[in-house]
Amino acid sequence: ITNVTERARYYSFYPWCIHRYAQDGPTTRTRTNWIKWLRALDFSYATACVAHDQQSEQEAGSAVVGGDRASELLKGKALTAMINLRTACAVNETGKVEGSGAYFKNPQGGFGQYYRGPLREMAMLVDHEQSAWPDVRLTNYAGRQIADVIDRQTAFQDLLEIAGEGRATVGELSDVGSKVHPTSIEPRSREETILRSIFLGTDADLCRGQAPEQMEWRSRSLRLMLDYMQRSERIEESPDYEYRWACLAKALPDGSEWPCSSDLATVRSAWGAYQRNDTLNYCLECLMGVV
């Protein structure tokens, strides 16, 4: 979990993409074929989520990969308008992104840019033992389990069809988007339970491939943030921004002292140091800009 992996749903979605490619992907498993398959699903997902946001007048899709390009395609379109998804996710025969208009420059989309590393650290993926594409495979104890949960949801099968067709109406995209959206994870569902257990490191079997040190630091960071959210009556700015400043100041939004248990004090100091360093870099950048 990093400052650019803002959507828990991607930790389910990308393992599912790998699983479905293994089942339904092209017979010839080349790098280019994998990239084409993944990008089609990645951008179809983004467009469906943004279509839903626009119909429901929300802005919750801003952190989906390719959201800006999807918004451009959908802007001002009627529900019956047909949206061509192929151009924005196209690559050449070597798997390289060319020209303008692409939803994302990294050939493997948000998976390659943001989520591949964290998914490996949480042992949902491991490197493929043979020369193959994708060059990672799902672990049976974590990755495959979460992929199976997504695979049983009808809306994701609909999304797969849209990606295969390379086009859909705004209405069709919005309907699917309402069910696959990052905010649509059902409370107390199997998907939520697995993700929560992996993130917080509370299930020994699901987390058996994780490095204990990384799991402990991530768990403490999340527990500390939850503690901060619970104690704060009102948070005016984005929670992650306020959280980092709170770690530096050791204070709650109202200025009162933030009481912290001893097992979380160390990680709070670490986040405070992160914020101090980040602020220093910003000050130096401003100074150099002025000079």
Side-chain angles (χ1 to χ4, degrees), residues 35-36 39 69 86-107:
I35 287 172
K36 288 180 177 179
R39 287 177 70 85
R69 185 73 182 98
R86 292 189 186 279
T87 304
C89 57
V91 293
N92 66 19
E93 289 307 309
T94 64
K96 185 178 180 181
V97 179
E98 292 183 331
S100 59
Y103 84 96
F104 208 73
K105 287 294 185 183
N106 189 306

Side-chain angles (χ1 to χ4, degrees), residues 262-274:
S262 57
D263 67 321
L264 297 181
T266 303
V267 76
R268 184 174 67 178
S269 295
W271 277 108
Y274 174 93

Side-chain angles (χ1 to χ4, degrees), residues 45-56:
Y45 179 76
T47 310
C49 291
V50 173
H52 167 64
D53 286 340
Q54 291 186 354
Q55 295 305 314
S56 57

Side-chain angles (χ1 to χ4, degrees), residues 206-223:
L206 282 170
C207 301
R208 66 177 113 151
Q210 296 188 41
E213 234 179 56
Q214 290 180 344
M215 184 166 61
E216 180 64 22
W217 274 102
R218 185 177 66 253
S219 173
R220 287 190 188 186
S221 288
L222 290 169
R223 284 164 47 211

Side-chain angles (χ1 to χ4, degrees), residues 171-185:
E172 289 168 338
L173 288 164
S174 178
D175 181 58
V176 171
S178 67
K179 301 178 183 74
V180 301
H181 198 276
T183 61
S184 70
I185 299 176

Side-chain angles (χ1 to χ4, degrees), residues 35-92:
I35 287 172
K36 288 180 177 179
W37 168 278
L38 178 66
R39 287 177 70 85
L41 264 178
D42 204 21
F43 187 59
S44 296
Y45 179 76
T47 310
C49 291
V50 173
H52 167 64
D53 286 340
Q54 291 186 354
Q55 295 305 314
S56 57
E57 297 183 349
Q58 298 183 44
E59 295 183 4
S62 59
V64 292
V65 178
D68 290 345
R69 185 73 182 98
S71 296
E72 292 173 7
L73 283 178
L74 294 165
K75 187 176 181 180
K77 298 290 196 310
L79 287 173
T80 54
M82 185 66 68
I83 305 298
N84 177 13
L85 302 168
R86 292 189 186 279
T87 304
C89 57
V91 293
N92 66 19

Side-chain angles (χ1 to χ4, degrees), residues 4-273:
V4 291
T5 54
E6 300 180 23
R7 293 301 193 186
R9 205 14 138 12
Y10 277 118
Y11 288 94
S12 310
F13 176 67
Y14 286 132
W16 174 72
C17 290
I18 293 170
H19 172 62
R20 283 271 44 102
Y21 184 75
Q23 306 303 312
D24 301 330
T27 306
T28 307
R29 301 299 171 90
T30 63
R31 176 179 177 274
T32 300
N33 282 344
W34 158 246
I35 287 172
K36 288 180 177 179
W37 168 278
L38 178 66
R39 287 177 70 85
L41 264 178
D42 204 21
F43 187 59
S44 296
Y45 179 76
T47 310
C49 291
V50 173
H52 167 64
D53 286 340
Q54 291 186 354
Q55 295 305 314
S56 57
E57 297 183 349
Q58 298 183 44
E59 295 183 4
S62 59
V64 292
V65 178
D68 290 345
R69 185 73 182 98
S71 296
E72 292 173 7
L73 283 178
L74 294 165
K75 187 176 181 180
K77 298 290 196 310
L79 287 173
T80 54
M82 185 66 68
I83 305 298
N84 177 13
L85 302 168
R86 292 189 186 279
T87 304
C89 57
V91 293
N92 66 19
E93 289 307 309
T94 64
K96 185 178 180 181
V97 179
E98 292 183 331
S100 59
Y103 84 96
F104 208 73
K105 287 294 185 183
N106 189 306
Q108 295 191 71
F111 171 70
Q113 185 75 16
Y114 305 126
Y115 288 87
R116 188 178 186 275
L119 281 164
R120 289 176 65 195
E121 286 187 12
M122 284 184 276
M124 298 168 85
L125 306 177
V126 291
D127 289 333
H128 212 293
E129 296 167 356
Q130 302 173 346
S131 178
W133 284 98
D135 58 352
V136 290
R137 59 180 178 83
L138 301 177
T139 56
N140 289 328
Y141 51 83
R144 181 60 189 272
Q145 286 202 45
I146 197 68
D148 284 342
V149 169
I150 292 294
D151 207 39
R152 288 193 287 270
Q153 298 184 31
T154 305
F156 280 93
Q157 300 301 326
D158 295 337
L159 181 70
L160 191 64
E161 288 185 19
I162 288 174
E165 286 289 327
R167 61 178 191 157
T169 66
V170 174
E172 289 168 338
L173 288 164
S174 178
D175 181 58
V176 171
S178 67
K179 301 178 183 74
V180 301
H181 198 276
T183 61
S184 70
I185 299 176
E186 289 292 329
R188 294 175 296 280
S189 64
R190 179 63 175 157
E191 181 183 5
E192 185 199 54
T193 301
I194 291 175
L195 290 176
R196 186 185 296 275
S197 299
I198 290 174
F199 292 164
L200 292 170
T202 55
D203 187 309
D205 188 54
L206 282 170
C207 301
R208 66 177 113 151
Q210 296 188 41
E213 234 179 56
Q214 290 180 344
M215 184 166 61
E216 180 64 22
W217 274 102
R218 185 177 66 253
S219 173
R220 287 190 188 186
S221 288
L222 290 169
R223 284 164 47 211
L224 182 65
M225 180 176 277
L226 290 170
D227 181 79
Y228 171 72
M229 298 284 284
Q230 188 175 42
R231 294 177 187 273
S232 303
E233 290 186 9
R234 183 179 179 185
I235 300 175
E236 294 184 356
E237 301 290 340
S238 61
D240 58 326
Y241 177 82
E242 290 285 359
Y243 166 74
R244 293 196 302 270
W245 276 106
C247 287
L248 179 57
K250 299 179 183 178
L252 297 173
D254 62 2
S256 63
E257 182 183 352
W258 178 9
C260 184
S261 60
S262 57
D263 67 321
L264 297 181
T266 303
V267 76
R268 184 174 67 178
S269 295
W271 277 108

